[in-house]
Amino acid sequence: MANDYFFCGIGGSGMLPLAMIVQARGHRIEGSDRSRDQGRTPEKFAWLAAHDVTLHPQDGSGVTRADQIVVATGAVEDTVPDIGAARAVGATIKTRPQLLSELFNAAPTSIGVAGTSGKSTITGMIAWILHQAGRAPTVMNGAVMKNFADADHPFASALIGGPDLFVSEVDESDGSIARYDPTVAVVSNISLDHKSMEELRDLFGGFTNRAATAVLNLDNPETAALAQTLPADKVVTFALGEEAATLNAHDLEPQPTGMHFTLTEQGGARHAVTLNVPGAHNVANALAALGAVRALGAPLAEATAALETFSGIRRRMEVVGTANGVTVIDDFAHNPDKIAATLKTLHAFDGRLLILFQPHGFGPLKLMKSEFIEGFAGLMRPDDVLLMPEPVYYGGTTDRSVGSEDIASGVRAEGRNAEALPTRDACGDRIVELAKPGDRVIVMGARDDTLSTFAADLLKRL
C-alpha cells in the first residue's frame, strides 16, 4: 500500500536519491530543505517539483498528519521544526539509515559495499556491470555515477531498478552498518577515519558475518585479518599481485586517463582489462566490484567488458578542464588514505601540483593531525604547493585547537611548500597568481557541494 513520506532535507546528496527510490515503489513524497528556503540550488528543487515531489518550507508546516512517515538525516534533533511537528502530530520518525537499511534488507538479493575508501566507486562499478547485464539493480550510492547522469537524471547517485536486487554503499562512520544484512558484503579497506580501530573491527566483523559471501581485500592488513575469521567457502579475496587471492591484478600499466592490467582468477582464466578511471586504487576497486558480481553468478568476461565503459564517479579525480596549459581537477579526498591515493595517481604523470585542501571540520584535523602532515609531506614533490583555508566553522562547542596552520607548518617543517590562508577565496587568488602552464590544480575536500562550483570558477579565471 502507498504511504506518505516527508523527507526533511530532501535536497541532500543522501536524501534526494533515497526519496526517488521510495517514490518508484509507489509512495507519495513531500519534503523540505533549508537550502531551498535560503534560495540555494534552485534548479535542484525545480527538478524535484517537476517530478511530483511536494515541497514545503522547513518550518514544520508540511508535517500535519499522524500517517506521514518523516525521514530525517542521522541526527534527529527536536530543534528542527519538522521533527517537532512530527512529534506533536504523532507521525512516525525514521532516520535515513533506518529507512535505507529496511529497503535493502527487504530485497531477496543485496550487495552492501563498505570500507574507509573506495565505496562510491565500487558501488558505481557494480551498478554499471549489473545494469549492463540486464539485472535491473536498485542502487543507492553516496555520489553521482556519471554513467547514469543525463539531462533527465542530473542527480544520479541512485539508480531506480527492480525490488529484487539492491546495491548500496554502507557507512561505518555513524555505526549504521550494523543494520544491514547483505547477501554479499564487500569491504574495500579498513583504516582510521571516524571511529577507533576496536569499534571498526567489531562493526565490519558483524557485517561480514551476516553475509552469505564476503569480498575482502588482502592488500589491507585489517581486511586480510577479517578474511581469516570466516569460513573459506564464504570468502572471495582480491589483491594486486598476491597469489593467494581469488582475484588478482598483475602488470598494471598507468594510462593518462586510466589503467591496463591483467586479471587472474585463481584456478581460472586470465583477462586483459582496460579501465577508463586512473590509479592503482581504482584497479583494487574494480577487483572488489568483480568479486561482488561473481558471487551473484555474473561471468567475469562480461563483467570486465562492462568495466571498460565505466566512466567514473563525480568529484573522484574529475577533470574539470584545461585553460592556458593548466588542468583543474575536482576531488573528494578528505582523509589521509584518500589524499594519498589521489596524490600517487597524479604523480604517475609529470607536472607540478597546486593542491587546495579544504578540511571538513576541526575534529578530523585534531584526530589525524600527524597523519595529514606525514601524508602531504611524504607524497608532495619539492615544487608542489599545498594551500589550506581554515575549516568551515558552523558555531557550537567545536574544539578549534588544531587548525589549518598547524597542518601547513608541519608540512613546511618537513621541507615542502604549504600555506594556510583565512578563506577559500584567498586560496583561489593565490592559485591564480602561482599557476603556470603544465601545472595541475587539484581541489580537494568533502561535504561541500560548492567546491565543484569553486573549481569551475578557478578554471574560468585561469
Side-chain angles (χ1 to χ4, degrees):
M1 61 169 257
N3 290 315
D4 288 358
Y5 282 82
F6 186 99
F7 285 78
C8 181
I10 194 164
S13 60
M15 291 292 244
L16 190 154
L18 184 59
M20 294 294 103
I21 289 173
V22 172
Q23 186 186 56
R25 303 274 163 99
H27 304 294
R28 285 181 293 274
I29 307 294
E30 297 176 82
S32 66
D33 200 293
R34 246 190 342 217
S35 295
R36 176 178 176 260
D37 298 348
Q38 292 163 1
R40 287 180 301 181
T41 59
E43 61 291 342
K44 182 187 287 187
F45 298 105
W47 184 90
L48 279 168
H51 287 75
D52 300 324
V53 175
T54 308
L55 297 167
H56 300 272
Q58 198 170 79
D59 58 7
S61 62
V63 182
T64 55
R65 312 181 298 286
D67 64 358
Q68 285 174 294
I69 299 167
V70 177
V71 186
T73 48
V76 181
E77 303 285 350
D78 286 355
T79 50
V80 176
D82 291 336
I83 301 299
R87 296 219 199 278
V89 298
T92 304
I93 298 172
K94 286 185 178 179
T95 63
R96 177 186 176 273
Q98 195 179 352
L99 174 60
L100 178 55
S101 59
E102 284 171 10
L103 292 169
F104 180 92
N105 293 339
T109 307
S110 58
I111 302 177
V113 181
T116 312
S117 38
K119 290 190 288 285
S120 301
T121 301
I122 296 166
T123 304
M125 287 174 165
I126 293 170
W128 185 237
I129 294 167
L130 293 174
H131 175 76
Q132 291 289 84
R135 300 281 290 266
T138 290
V139 183
M140 179 69 214
N141 203 336
V144 173
M145 299 176 277
K146 286 157 80 167
N147 285 96
F148 299 110
D150 58 31
D152 293 336
H153 306 92
F155 311 107
S157 44
L159 178 63
I160 312 287
D164 295 341
L165 175 55
F166 203 115
V167 182
S168 182
E169 185 181 312
V170 173
D171 197 1
E172 82 290 343
S173 66
D174 59 3
S176 64
I177 185 173
R179 296 178 175 274
Y180 292 80
D181 302 321
T183 311
V184 180
V186 180
V187 184
S188 56
N189 45 56
I190 303 174
S191 61
L192 217 50
D193 190 6
H194 300 281
K195 287 189 163 1
S196 76
M197 226 51 219
E198 286 66 32
E199 281 178 286
L200 290 175
R201 284 176 191 141
D202 212 37
L203 288 168
F204 286 116
F207 177 65
T208 49
N209 266 318
R210 294 191 298 276
T213 307
V215 180
L216 300 169
N217 178 6
L218 290 189
D219 291 330
N220 176 266
E222 288 291 334
T223 39
L226 199 53
Q228 297 298 311
T229 66
L230 295 161
D233 60 345
K234 266 189 72 164
V235 180
V236 172
T237 55
F238 64 90
L240 306 185
E242 171 72 49
E243 293 307 330
T246 319
L247 297 175
N248 243 300
H250 307 268
D251 311 324
L252 274 63
E253 284 178 47
Q255 309 292 314
T257 58
M259 269 306 210
H260 283 321
F261 66 95
T262 304
L263 169 70
T264 319
E265 192 176 4
Q266 208 171 34
R270 292 165 74 83
H271 306 266
V273 186
T274 302
L275 291 179
N276 281 301
V277 285
H281 65 293
N282 274 321
V283 175
N285 290 338
L287 294 182
L290 292 167
V293 299
R294 179 180 176 274
L296 297 187
L300 273 184
E302 285 175 31
T304 55
L307 276 181
E308 293 197 14
T309 54
F310 172 72
S311 54
I313 300 289
R314 198 154 290 161
R315 295 215 63 228
R316 300 302 186 274
M317 294 197 18
E318 185 177 14
V319 174
V320 183
T322 301
N324 291 321
V326 181
T327 301
V328 179
I329 299 159
D330 188 18
D331 192 66
F332 174 79
H334 61 284
N335 65 26
D337 276 9
K338 293 192 173 93
I339 290 167
T342 296
L343 294 180
K344 281 177 191 159
T345 303
L346 291 171
H347 277 320
F349 298 92
D350 292 337
R352 176 174 75 154
L353 298 182
L354 302 178
I355 306 158
L356 177 123
F357 171 52
Q358 174 179 290
H360 62 272
F362 285 92
L365 285 185
K366 185 166 186 180
L367 179 69
M368 298 180 276
K369 177 183 166 184
S370 59
E371 288 89 340
F372 276 124
I373 292 170
E374 281 161 30
F376 280 116
L379 288 166
M380 284 169 64
R381 290 188 177 159
D383 59 344
D384 291 345
V385 184
L386 170 65
L387 297 153
M388 288 176 66
E390 284 301 332
V392 182
Y393 174 59
Y394 294 110
T397 55
T398 311
D399 172 356
R400 290 186 282 164
S401 59
V402 175
S404 292
E405 177 53 41
D406 296 281
I407 309 297
S409 60
V411 173
R412 286 197 300 274
E414 298 288 327
R416 291 293 181 259
N417 303 312
E419 303 173 18
L421 298 165
T423 64
R424 186 169 75 187
D425 287 342
C427 292
D429 294 343
R430 186 83 178 105
I431 286 170
V432 172
E433 192 182 309
L434 289 168
K436 54 184 198 289
D439 286 349
R440 290 164 301 164
V441 174
I442 176 113
V443 175
M444 285 184 181
R447 299 190 191 159
D448 181 352
D449 294 343
T450 64
L451 280 165
S452 299
T453 319
F454 174 78
D457 290 345
L458 263 184
L459 184 67
K460 282 194 196 111
R461 292 179 62 188
L462 290 162

